[in-house]
Amino acid sequence: MTQGLTHGIADGVAHGMTHGIAHGVIHGLTDGVAHGMTHGLTDGVAHGMTYGVTHGVMHGMTHGITDGWHARLMQPLE
């Protein structure tokens, strides 16, 4: 009786652990992938927007300065 009970508990614990670990791993993977994809998208968009704005401003300033200088140099001397 006691041996059967001990055996049953041991089997139940072992089964529960393997099932729990497998379930945890699968959930961890799917949740991790979903989380990674969401973060990747939002981070990528945020990075792209920030980069686009700063790059655009820098590009615009550089062009404005060089174009302005060029226009000034092309004017006839007074």
Side-chain angles (χ1 to χ4, degrees):
M1 173 75 179
T2 312
Q3 195 176 10
L5 194 65
T6 312
H7 215 70
I9 290 168
D11 283 0
V13 168
H15 191 73
M17 280 173 68
T18 49
H19 204 73
I21 290 167
H23 192 75
V25 167
I26 293 164
H27 258 282
L29 283 169
T30 52
D31 289 1
V33 168
H35 190 74
M37 280 169 65
T38 310
H39 259 281
L41 284 170
T42 51
D43 290 0
V45 168
H47 187 75
M49 281 169 64
T50 311
Y51 192 76
V53 169
T54 50
H55 207 70
V57 168
M58 293 292 288
H59 191 75
M61 281 169 63
T62 311
H63 261 283
I65 290 166
T66 51
D67 290 358
W69 267 102
H70 189 72
R72 182 76 185 112
L73 288 170
M74 296 311 277
Q75 286 181 349
L77 292 171
E78 292 170 3

